């Protein structure tokens, strides 16, 4: 610092320009990104990508389960069961459950899209954030040093903007993804595992619907006949089954909405507010030297 303070204005300008040229060479040659930044942030990137891949896998499995429930109930609702001298379709009572399964599959599609977008931003930050936003930083800094005095406020604003974008994309997004995964595992995982276990247990009979049915005693018809064996309790049992399933699906919709939509959106909002504060905070006024008497 003492050496820098002894330099004249032109010498400082030349030194700063040389630093910018060195930084530009490191950015465009890939040395700065491949040898320094990416290795330093590799543990964070790995944890964030692992968490997002797990969320994507769970969302895909839940989507498949929802479609399986939808197909199974569509088949069951058309099966007729004889009760005494009458023939009824007790599967029609499962129509609300089928509608909820369709809504659940729609939420899973949105969840997979959200996780896929986060993975894209994560990979974009690893590959292109530094060359793209680094170029803006270098251009803004060069204009700030060499441009007219009337451009300085605009150049300072652009410099802060590119720095904020670089930090948010390269560090903020993987940190937010890892933090959301940790918060979700702590708060939501026990509820999700309990709801999915109950859902899988109660849909065990419906999972046979996609298999070929050899006679009327297989698959959904056998399941309905077992329920129809106690004719007086059949409607109550069907309603209880539907209500329990709908409750589990609602719990899972809440869990996945929080994990893949609301929590990531909240983290993005906080990062945006932090970047906005960094960019728009008041510029420091240059210190004016008092004229000596």
């Amino acid at each position: 610092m003492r050496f820098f303070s002894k330099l004249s204005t032109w010498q400082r300008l030349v030194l700063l320009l040389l630093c910018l040229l060195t930084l530009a060479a490191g950015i465009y040659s890939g040395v700065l990104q491949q040898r320094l930044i990416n290795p330093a942030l590799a543990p964070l990137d790995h944890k964030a990508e692992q968490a997002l891949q797990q969320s994507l896998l769970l969302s895909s499995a839940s989507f498949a389960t929802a479609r399986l429930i939808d197909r199974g109930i569509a088949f069951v609702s058309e099966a007729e069961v004889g009760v005494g001298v009458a023939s009824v379709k007790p599967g029609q009572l499962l129509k609300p459950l089928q509608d909820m399964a369709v809504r659940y599959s729609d939420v899973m599609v949105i969840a997979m899209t959200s996780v896929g977008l986060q993975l894209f931003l994560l990979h974009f930050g690893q590959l292109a954030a530094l060359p793209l936003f680094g170029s803006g930083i270098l251009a803004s800094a060069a204009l700030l040093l060499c441009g007219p005095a009337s451009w300085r406020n605009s150049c300072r604003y652009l410099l802060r903007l590119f720095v904020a974008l670089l930090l948010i994309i390269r560090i903020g997004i993987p940190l937010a993804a890892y933090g959301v995964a940790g918060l979700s595992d702590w708060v939501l995982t026990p509820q999700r595992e309990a709801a999915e276990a109950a859902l899988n247990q109660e849909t065990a009979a419906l999972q046979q619907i996609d298999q070929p049915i050899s006679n009327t005693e297989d698959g959904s018809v056998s399941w309905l006949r077992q329920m129809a064996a106690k004719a007086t309790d059949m409607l109550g049992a069907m309603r209880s089954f539907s209500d329990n399933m709908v409750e589990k699906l609602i719990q899972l919709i809440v869990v996945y909405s929080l994990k893949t939509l609301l929590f990531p959106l909240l983290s993005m909002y906080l990062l945006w507010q932090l970047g906005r504060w960094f960019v728009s905070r008041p510029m420091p006024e240059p210190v004016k030297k008092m004229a000596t008497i």
Side-chain angles (χ1 to χ4, degrees), residues 74-248:
F75 187 89
V76 168
S77 62
E78 299 301 324
E80 294 185 359
V81 178
V83 181
V85 295
S87 179
V88 297
K89 292 183 178 180
Q92 293 292 333
L93 296 174
L94 299 178
K95 281 295 186 180
L97 175 59
Q98 185 181 16
D99 294 338
M100 183 58 66
V102 173
R103 302 295 183 272
Y104 180 57
S105 64
D106 293 340
V107 172
M108 290 304 100
V109 171
I110 298 175
M112 289 186 290
T113 303
S114 173
V115 175
L117 179 59
Q118 293 177 65
L119 281 171
F120 168 76
L121 291 176
L122 182 63
H123 294 155
F124 172 79
Q126 295 174 3
L127 297 176
L130 183 61
L132 180 62
F133 300 122
S135 300
I137 292 173
L138 292 174
S140 301
L143 289 175
L144 182 62
L145 293 175
C146 304
S150 58
W151 292 7
R152 289 180 182 175
N153 287 335
S154 299
C155 291
R156 288 194 186 100
Y157 179 83
L158 290 175
L159 181 61
R160 289 183 177 184
L161 177 62
F162 286 120
V163 170
L165 289 174
L166 178 61
L167 293 177
I168 289 174
I169 297 296
R170 189 62 190 92
I171 300 177
I173 287 181
L175 188 61
Y178 179 63
V180 166
L183 179 62
S184 300
D185 290 341
W186 177 45
V187 177
L188 302 176
T189 296
Q191 183 179 1
R192 176 186 61 79
E193 292 178 348
E196 287 181 345
L199 189 67
N200 292 332
Q201 182 179 1
E202 294 181 0
T203 56
L206 293 177
Q207 294 177 3
Q208 301 175 2
I209 300 304
D210 288 340
Q211 300 176 1
I213 298 178
S214 57
N215 54 66
T216 58
E217 297 299 325
D218 292 335
S220 62
V221 178
S222 175
W223 177 63
L224 289 173
R225 286 188 183 277
Q226 292 175 7
M227 300 186 67
K230 299 179 180 180
T232 57
D233 299 333
M234 181 180 63
L235 295 181
M238 295 289 290
R239 287 195 182 96
S240 177
F241 174 79
S242 178
D243 292 343
N244 290 335
M245 293 277 286
V246 168
E247 180 183 357
K248 299 302 183 297

Side-chain angles (χ1 to χ4, degrees), residues 1-7 15:
M1 293 297 296
R2 184 175 299 177
F3 169 77
F4 188 78
S5 61
K6 293 181 179 180
L7 298 177
L15 182 61

